[in-house]
Amino acid sequence: MTAPANPARGEAAIRVAGEMLVLRPSFAALVAAEQELGPLFALVERAASGGLTLGEMVALFWHCLDAPPEGLTRDRLGEAVAAGGLAATTPALRVLLGQILAGR
């Protein structure tokens, strides 16, 4: 069982297939996301202007996943995010984008 997200560490949580997953924007996670998605400040700007794609959001979540459950693939994560609706994941996205801007 995964520990709940710790807001003091900049963590957020999303529900995927009935399970809460913790997103931890560690340095290593953000570097990996940046290598795939390009500069993180540009990602934040795209999000602020409504230009963030579903694929970019899932990629950021994937890189920030802390202890993903066995069998979870990036495609399954993407399907779960799409099935759950963007509104359900927006709070976690805000937390991660805030951590990119503020740092911890």
Side-chain angles (χ1 to χ4, degrees):
M1 183 168 147
T2 303
N6 182 346
R9 287 174 39 172
E11 296 175 347
I14 57 172
R15 184 170 296 281
V16 171
E19 187 170 347
M20 290 303 288
L21 303 180
V22 173
L23 303 173
R24 179 177 295 151
S26 67
F27 176 75
L30 294 178
V31 167
E34 188 171 52
Q35 287 175 341
E36 177 179 344
L37 300 169
L40 294 178
F41 285 115
L43 181 81
V44 172
E45 288 175 352
R46 286 193 301 280
S49 69
L52 188 69
T53 67
L54 177 60
E56 289 173 323
M57 181 178 12
V58 170
L60 180 61
F61 287 173
W62 181 254
H63 289 295
C64 291
L65 268 178
D66 182 53
E70 188 174 325
L72 181 68
T73 65
R74 188 164 166 169
D75 286 340
R76 286 185 182 162
L77 176 63
E79 290 295 327
V81 167
L86 296 180
T89 57
T90 298
L93 179 62
R94 278 191 199 128
V95 169
L96 295 181
L97 294 175
Q99 289 306 305
I100 290 169
L101 290 174
R104 283 256 175 205

